[in-house]
């Protein structure tokens, strides 16, 4: 398991009974988590007095019950700064387990000895965009949601990286990659965080199990002749790390050489000393 264990402003305090108790800066949140199927004792007093709790509704969706929570606040990860905002569907605008991928990507970029261009697809609020820009890469940030791209711009500004070369694209990722290939534009690295399920602007259905492999094949066509790395993230429980590694080997290693390595992502749990699984990732490198 690749463990995101270098956080100072975030802490997974405990998890039990389908929920997790977290500290985001100085605020504590309780949010649902389907991986926490165990019913271990909730001994920490913060379970009973969080700053906010997200409760699911039996009719679908859910809502935040807030006590003393601001509309937004900032947290830091090393040299990076992010804006946290409680959103619908329990999200905060950041997946802290991805920090272990940010560290790896930053090390690869800084060790490349050349200018590196990164394409960040399904880029959300730009955690990887901020990390890669801080490491010295030029970044193309693509997400279909205008609000998420605006949020990512806020994160770049908060990290004082406004002068870094970042292209901001609001578009369907598949269509954008197709156009980049036709235009002959190439990138040295690709990071992708595709959703488990979604619908495109024209009603197109995206289902990760059906669409991931052809999408990865498509993305291989936008890599430069000497690519540095690719990261594929998945939160779909049916896709194991081994499945992601098989895709990486079948597409990138077959075309460019190199090798793929895939693991679960995880967060350390303070109260138990164990780790909460948080999806999987595949890293291909030349």
């Amino acid at each position: 398991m690749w463990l995101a264990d270098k956080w100072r402003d975030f802490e997974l305090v405990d998890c039990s009974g389908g929920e997790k108790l977290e500290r985001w800066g100085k605020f504590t949140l309780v949010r649902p988590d389907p991986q926490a199927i165990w019913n271990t004792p909730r001994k920490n007093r913060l379970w009973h007095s969080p700053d906010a709790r997200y409760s699911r509704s039996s009719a679908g969706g859910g809502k935040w019950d807030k006590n003393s929570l601001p509309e937004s606040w900032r947290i830091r990860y090393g040299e990076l700064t992010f804006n946290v905002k409680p959103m619908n569907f329990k999200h905060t605008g950041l997946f802290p387990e991805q920090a272990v991928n940010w560290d790896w990507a930053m090390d690869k970029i800084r060790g490349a000895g050349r200018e590196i261009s990164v394409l960040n697809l399904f880029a959300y609020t730009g955690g990887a965009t901020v990390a890669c820009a801080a490491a010295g890469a030029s970044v193309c940030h693509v997400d279909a949601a205008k609000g998420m791209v605006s949020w990512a711009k806020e994160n770049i500004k908060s990290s004082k990286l406004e002068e870094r070369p970042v292209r901001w694209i609001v578009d369907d990722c598949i269509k954008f990659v197709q156009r980049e290939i036709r235009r002959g534009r190439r990138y040295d690295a690709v990071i992708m965080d595709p959703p488990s399920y979604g619908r495109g602007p024209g009603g197109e259905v995206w289902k990760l199990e059906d669409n991931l492999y052809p999408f990865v094949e498509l993305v291989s066509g936008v890599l430069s002749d000497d690519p540095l790395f690719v990261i594929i993230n998945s939160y779909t429980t049916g896709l194991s790390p081994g499945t992601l590694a098989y895709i990486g080997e079948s597409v990138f290693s077959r075309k460019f050489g190199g090798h793929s390595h895939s693991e679960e992502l995880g967060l350390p749990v303070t109260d138990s000393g164990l780790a909460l699984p948080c999806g999987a990732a595949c890293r291909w490198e030349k």
Side-chain angles (χ1 to χ4, degrees), residues 10-23 29-44 46-47 53 266-278:
F10 170 84
E11 179 186 8
L12 178 52
V13 180
D14 196 11
C15 51
S16 175
E19 291 184 313
K20 54 189 174 183
L21 172 65
E22 305 165 307
R23 178 181 61 82
L29 306 181
V30 173
R31 297 192 294 158
D33 193 298
Q35 294 290 334
I37 62 173
W38 43 86
N39 282 300
T40 49
R42 298 186 177 193
K43 296 180 180 180
N44 197 303
L46 292 174
W47 277 110
R53 181 187 297 270
L267 288 167
V269 183
T270 301
D271 283 5
S272 68
L274 303 174
L276 177 69
C278 303

Side-chain angles (χ1 to χ4, degrees), residues 120-190:
N120 189 11
L121 298 168
F122 307 98
Y124 194 50
T125 61
T129 296
V130 175
C132 292
S138 62
V139 185
C140 181
H141 175 109
V142 187
D143 197 279
K146 185 177 181 180
M148 296 299 103
V149 175
S150 296
W151 193 336
K153 291 179 181 180
E154 293 177 18
N155 287 331
I156 280 281
K157 185 175 181 180
S158 296
S159 294
K160 303 186 185 307
L161 295 168
E162 304 100 306
E163 302 305 314
R164 294 300 307 160
V166 180
R167 295 171 63 207
W168 304 103
I169 308 294
V170 180
D171 201 352
D172 176 84
C173 288
I174 296 175
K175 294 178 180 177
F176 178 78
V177 172
Q178 290 170 336
R179 285 198 298 274
E180 290 290 86
I181 291 172
R182 290 196 297 269
R183 287 188 283 245
R185 193 186 294 268
R186 298 293 182 263
Y187 298 87
D188 301 305
V190 176

